[in-house]
Amino acid sequence: MAYRFNASSLNRTTNLPPIFNFTIMGWFMLPSAPTANGAFFSFGTTSGAYIELYTNSSSQFRAYSSGSASASETLVTGRWYHMALVCRGSANGNMEGWLDGRLVVTGNPSASTLSEKLFIGNTNDGENVNAYGEAFKVFNRALNGDEIAAEMQCVVPLNVANCVSWHAGDPGNQLVDSATGNNWTAAGTINWEESSPPIPFSQYLFPMMEGGGSTSISVADSGSASDATGISV
């Protein structure tokens, strides 16, 4: 099940990471081509400067921070992407946008940005995104590439020590923070859709097999019997 953002979003003002040392990630899918700017993640001042990962009317994957925007590749509708917004410091180039485990765009974080409010699906300027989303995680540290690649493989966080928020994705519990119990606030109506990114809930669960291929299993033994399934013993 996935969150359905459409003129709706999640936000919080408590238990936030440091503004210049954080990672926010999750899976998103655009159901149609956007007609305006729409934010996947936004973090910063309640009314003022912020750091943002968003798309525009050209479906570009972009990072922005109060006057400094950087564009990357174009997103395809109907496809799930893993997205991560990372900040490694206040210096130029320390704002990063990661797509499917790859660093694809960098930018300059605004020095006036404060750790006051975090949005999923919007900004304090009202840039609502029209998208499906799931498996959101917030870390109080800038994760490296290997850590981001590992975290994108499952819903449950692997780096529990630095995770300050994550969503289990239970229908009807979209405000529940599974890390701390400090729940989120919803703006608008967030619905649920029968669509999910291609990942298991936990690293200890295997993803379901897809496709119509056949699988044959053979076990060496002294017997020679064979049944209709093709499994010989």
Side-chain angles (χ1 to χ4, degrees), residues 8-66:
S8 56
S9 61
L10 297 172
N11 68 83
R12 67 184 303 158
T13 57
T14 59
N15 201 40
L16 301 175
I19 191 61
F20 296 122
N21 187 20
F22 69 84
T23 303
I24 307 168
M25 65 173 61
W27 285 83
F28 284 96
M29 180 179 71
L30 299 176
S32 59
T35 58
N37 289 353
F40 302 109
F41 302 117
S42 175
F43 180 36
T45 311
T46 301
S47 178
Y50 54 83
I51 299 170
E52 174 190 14
L53 199 62
Y54 75 107
T55 188
N56 60 6
S57 58
S58 298
S59 300
Q60 292 176 316
F61 182 71
R62 299 172 66 92
Y64 170 86
S65 182
S66 301

Side-chain angles (χ1 to χ4, degrees), residues 28-213:
F28 284 96
M29 180 179 71
L30 299 176
S32 59
T35 58
N37 289 353
F40 302 109
F41 302 117
S42 175
F43 180 36
T45 311
T46 301
S47 178
Y50 54 83
I51 299 170
E52 174 190 14
L53 199 62
Y54 75 107
T55 188
N56 60 6
S57 58
S58 298
S59 300
Q60 292 176 316
F61 182 71
R62 299 172 66 92
Y64 170 86
S65 182
S66 301
S68 174
S70 302
S72 178
E73 54 201 81
T74 301
L75 302 175
V76 176
T77 58
R79 173 183 168 184
W80 281 99
Y81 293 93
H82 184 266
M83 304 179 183
L85 176 62
V86 181
C87 191
R88 302 189 184 278
S90 58
N92 288 351
N94 279 332
M95 177 177 65
E96 301 176 352
W98 292 70
L99 192 65
D100 290 339
R102 298 176 295 116
L103 175 60
V104 296
V105 61
T106 61
N108 306 327
S110 172
S112 62
T113 310
L114 302 176
S115 176
E116 293 182 349
K117 195 168 187 176
L118 193 158
F119 288 91
I120 300 176
N122 201 358
T123 68
N124 60 26
D125 290 334
E127 295 180 1
N128 284 294
V129 72
N130 177 19
Y132 302 105
E134 193 180 359
F136 307 123
K137 305 176 187 179
V138 182
F139 298 90
N140 61 9
R141 181 171 64 81
L143 302 187
N144 62 39
D146 289 340
E147 291 172 314
I148 293 172
E151 291 289 351
M152 68 178 279
Q153 300 298 328
C154 55
V155 175
V156 179
L158 306 178
N159 184 347
V160 178
N162 292 114
C163 185
V164 297
S165 178
W166 68 281
H167 283 79
D170 297 327
N173 292 323
Q174 63 267 32
L175 303 183
V176 175
D177 178 352
S178 300
T180 65
N182 295 319
N183 290 354
W184 293 69
T185 299
T189 301
I190 299 176
N191 295 313
W192 293 88
E193 296 287 342
E194 290 286 349
S195 180
S196 294
I199 58 171
F201 182 73
S202 167
Q203 65 171 332
Y204 302 108
L205 300 175
F206 292 103
M208 289 188 299
M209 296 177 61
E210 297 181 355

